[in-house]
Amino acid sequence: MVMLNPIEIVCFYVVQPILDYLTYLMLEVHYVAYLAGLAVIGIVLGLAFSIISVIWYKSTLKDLPGQPTVAVEHVHSPEGPPKKKDQKQD
C-alpha cells in the first residue's frame, strides 16, 4: 500500500470536490463566479500548501542522523561597508 503525503491527501479529498463545485458554477451559474472562486481557492491553497510543506520539511530534518547544525555568527566590521573605487577615501 502506498502512503500519500499530506499534499496529495488534501488535493484528493478536499480540493477535487471544490473544483467539481466550481465547474458547476461555470456551467450553470456564471463564468465570473467560477473565476472568482478559482482565484480565492488558489490563494488559500497556495498559503496552506506552503505552510504544510515547511512543516513537512522541518520534520524530516530532525530525522537525519549525525548532521551537526552549524551556528553562523554575525561579524560586525568597524570600518563599515567597503568603498567603491571611484569614491574618495576619508
Side-chain angles (χ1 to χ4, degrees), residues 15-42:
V15 177
Q16 190 61 45
I18 292 171
L19 291 178
D20 292 339
Y21 179 71
L22 287 176
T23 304
Y24 163 76
L25 285 178
M26 181 177 72
L27 297 175
E28 301 294 328
V29 180
H30 200 274
Y31 187 68
V32 175
Y34 167 74
L35 289 178
L38 197 62
V40 169
I41 196 73

Side-chain angles (χ1 to χ4, degrees), residues 42-55:
I43 292 169
V44 170
L45 288 176
L47 290 172
F49 285 160
S50 65
I51 292 169
I52 290 171
S53 296
V54 168
I55 292 170

